[in-house]
Amino acid sequence: MAAAPSHPRRGRLLLIVVVALLLRAMAVAAAAAFRARDVLPLLPRRVAWQLMGATAHSAVDLLPSFVAAVAPGGAPAAWRGACFADNQAVLSLIPGGGAGSGAAGRNGTGGGISGNTSSSSSLGGAVIHLKTASPESWTCMDLYVFATPYRIAWDYYMRSNENHTFEIKAWEEAAELEYVKQHGIAVFLMPSGMLGMLLSLVDVIPLFSNTGWGQDANLAFLKKHMGTSFQKRSQPWSANIRREDVHSGDFLALSKIRGRWGGFQTLEKWVTGAFAGHTAVFLKDENGTLWVAESGYENKKGDEIISMTPWDEWWGMALKDDSNPQIALLPLHPDVRARFNESAAWNFARSMYGKPYGYHNMIFSWIDTMSENYPPPLDSNLVMAIMSMWTRLQPHYASNMWNEALNKRLGTEKLDLHGIITETERRGLSFNQLLTIPERDDWEYSDGKSTTCVAFILSMYKAAGVFAPFTESIQVTEFTIRDAYMLKIFEDNQTRLPGWCNAAADMLPFCQILGEYKMDLPEYNTIEPYANMNENCPSAPPTYNRPAGC
């Protein structure tokens, strides 16, 4: 019997794979005249996914990378692109009197966000003349974002040795023109181009999936970007907690690894260096009832507030939480517990009950230095661009997230982002310097004191006397979750830990009360409190090195 013919689809797939591999080999030999990743969209989905493992990018490639500021009258700005090795740009101002507004690319491909679609043309506009050369492949395409504090726009370039143009038809207002004259237009490169950005989405989107696939994506991301190890714990994965062994002030560190909150916490961990994504604290009342207090509790309206929840209710929700939380109990050291003023802690918690989560100062606990807190390619230029974009899209959101806090740093009131930038420059400061000014615990915002999950707990500790004699010289709103669990205030004798916490079996210095993976808290319980603690600390990944006394 004659052999059956092979399936035509399988034969075609095999041919495509062979051709792709041959082309890739030829590309290496021909000094990168072709890159396999450039043709992934042209291949059948199954083949593209098989080849993606060798060509896919990291989630960090979703972030634009600052490459240059193009100012009028200056020397040409030059940089290396993702695909075009040699790039130059100059900026020419256009006198007023033309028509139209906004931004446009040389073929109408530019897109952007600006706040005033009816800008007066009397201020004129500008044109960026950009030349691309030395492509790494004949399918090159570099994607750029152009930004000022007043607008964000984008364009892409595919042809080599050509003078491309990007036009701003009209300035938003006179202040934008003055800003550009002094500082230029910031140019950001998407490091992996259009295709790389799409492939990077493949790395990020699963982080928010409430599935086993999503959990695997979160674990892989943290292993890759932070060096986290996820070792399976011995059973049981949940502890039978005896209330008698838990005391007011004992700290809870949580790490969610799937779903919406798992994805957000994964990215927050990567940015800040914390190996936990949320915190809470125990309080015990005069009747012996155990409560969990936290900032960031989501109420029935969907608002995140400061709450106090009975332990049984809180624990029941944790056991049912489909984000698969890993939870550690960090008991206070007996000496610290002895000076913990329980009445003062309760008074503080009651005074904060129901207040909103500390969005006002959330990002400022992380930014302490001019450049050593940002995971590449994130930097202060990109932070300003993102702030500008969100100010245009969601002005109320922007006011909550940073405008009030930036006004506090300047001693001003009710300035919007553009007013803040103008005032910062008037004082001879850079925007980068403004971001690094330490937060003050006594600052009152429009809705009261602003505390994130960890700042709420440490503010309670401060009220309860934990930081004595440095109570007045420590600003706990400058602390991240990592800073909190590194404090040398927790139990350091494993033999004093309760028997139900499985510390010996897990080989952990604290009690992990829930989760299938061992929680890793590097440098746990190692740093004694000191004055002005954590006000000038770098935290750049992947090592997150912290110098002494910062």
Side-chain angles (χ1 to χ4, degrees), residues 269-321:
K269 292 168 191 171
W270 167 59
V271 168
T272 65
F275 281 56
H278 182 56
T279 57
V281 65
F282 279 112
L283 284 173
K284 189 177 285 187
D285 64 22
E286 60 274 9
N287 298 317
T289 303
L290 198 59
W291 299 76
V292 176
E294 62 185 323
S295 178
Y297 177 87
E298 190 171 351
N299 64 16
K300 293 180 180 179
K301 296 180 180 179
D303 299 325
E304 291 187 333
I305 61 169
I306 294 172
S307 72
M308 289 185 287
T309 309
W311 162 248
D312 288 338
E313 180 182 341
W314 191 92
W315 183 238
M317 290 188 293
L319 293 174
K320 296 176 183 177
D321 191 340

Side-chain angles (χ1 to χ4, degrees), residues 246-250 281-294 306-311 339-355 456-466:
V246 180
H247 306 276
S248 289
D250 287 347
V281 65
F282 279 112
L283 284 173
K284 189 177 285 187
D285 64 22
E286 60 274 9
N287 298 317
T289 303
L290 198 59
W291 299 76
V292 176
E294 62 185 323
I306 294 172
S307 72
M308 289 185 287
T309 309
W311 162 248
R339 66 173 183 266
F340 186 87
N341 187 327
E342 199 166 18
S343 296
W346 269 105
N347 289 339
F348 174 81
R350 291 187 179 108
S351 73
M352 297 293 288
Y353 180 76
K355 292 186 183 297
F456 168 71
I457 297 170
L458 298 182
S459 295
M460 179 191 294
Y461 284 1
K462 196 172 178 179
V466 168

Side-chain angles (χ1 to χ4, degrees), residues 69-322:
V70 186
W79 66 90
R80 182 180 181 85
C83 195
F84 292 102
D86 298 316
N87 302 273
Q88 286 191 345
V90 295
L91 178 66
S92 302
L93 298 180
I94 301 174
S101 65
R106 72 270 184 258
N107 293 318
T109 57
I113 298 171
S114 61
N116 182 4
T117 57
S118 58
S119 309
S120 170
S121 60
S122 62
L123 296 172
V127 175
I128 295 177
H129 301 272
L130 193 150
K131 185 173 182 179
T132 58
S134 304
E136 293 186 6
S137 79
W138 47 264
T139 55
C140 262
M141 180 176 70
D142 277 346
L143 178 64
Y144 288 98
V145 175
F146 304 97
T148 75
Y150 300 79
R151 75 178 69 232
I152 290 181
W154 62 273
D155 208 349
Y156 63 88
Y157 305 104
M158 300 177 65
R159 295 189 296 273
S160 179
N161 296 314
E162 286 200 13
N163 291 312
H164 307 286
T165 60
F166 185 88
E167 182 181 4
I168 294 176
K169 294 184 178 180
W171 302 112
E172 286 289 307
E173 52 188 82
E176 182 181 20
L177 173 58
E178 290 305 312
Y179 179 90
V180 170
K181 285 180 178 179
Q182 294 183 43
H183 303 285
I185 295 174
V187 182
F188 297 89
L189 170 72
M190 299 304 297
S192 295
M194 184 73 78
L195 177 59
M197 185 171 66
L198 294 175
L199 293 177
S200 298
L201 285 171
V202 174
D203 199 14
V204 169
I205 289 174
L207 299 180
F208 300 89
S209 172
N210 197 12
T211 61
W213 174 51
Q215 177 169 307
D216 290 344
N218 279 281
L219 300 187
F221 185 97
L222 293 170
K223 287 178 181 178
K224 178 179 180 180
H225 295 289
M226 297 183 70
T228 312
S229 62
F230 289 94
Q231 301 176 37
K232 284 276 191 176
R233 296 178 64 217
S234 56
Q235 293 277 15
W237 290 344
S238 62
N240 293 315
I241 298 171
R242 294 179 70 250
R243 290 171 177 77
E244 297 83 356
D245 296 325
V246 180
H247 306 276
S248 289
D250 287 347
F251 190 100
L252 288 164
L254 295 83
S255 177
K256 299 186 176 185
I257 55 176
R258 63 192 287 175
R260 175 170 60 111
W261 287 114
F264 281 125
Q265 286 192 15
T266 289
L267 296 175
E268 180 186 6
K269 292 168 191 171
W270 167 59
V271 168
T272 65
F275 281 56
H278 182 56
T279 57
V281 65
F282 279 112
L283 284 173
K284 189 177 285 187
D285 64 22
E286 60 274 9
N287 298 317
T289 303
L290 198 59
W291 299 76
V292 176
E294 62 185 323
S295 178
Y297 177 87
E298 190 171 351
N299 64 16
K300 293 180 180 179
K301 296 180 180 179
D303 299 325
E304 291 187 333
I305 61 169
I306 294 172
S307 72
M308 289 185 287
T309 309
W311 162 248
D312 288 338
E313 180 182 341
W314 191 92
W315 183 238
M317 290 188 293
L319 293 174
K320 296 176 183 177
D321 191 340
D322 56 11

Side-chain angles (χ1 to χ4, degrees), residues 261 264 268 271-272 277-278 295-296 304 357-368 387 397 399-406 409 435 439 443 445 450-455 476-481 483:
W261 287 114
F264 281 125
E268 180 186 6
V271 168
T272 65
H278 182 56
S295 178
E304 291 187 333
Y357 176 82
Y359 287 109
H360 294 294
N361 49 24
M362 182 174 68
I363 68 171
F364 297 100
S365 64
W366 152 56
I367 301 175
D368 287 350
M387 286 182 173
Y397 176 93
S399 179
N400 271 342
M401 286 292 289
W402 47 72
N403 283 3
E404 280 198 62
L406 293 173
R409 282 156 174 77
L435 293 175
E439 183 81 7
W443 282 347
Y445 289 86
S450 183
T451 57
T452 61
C453 64
V454 71
V476 298
T477 42
E478 280 290 303
F479 284 52
T480 64
I481 293 175
D483 298 328

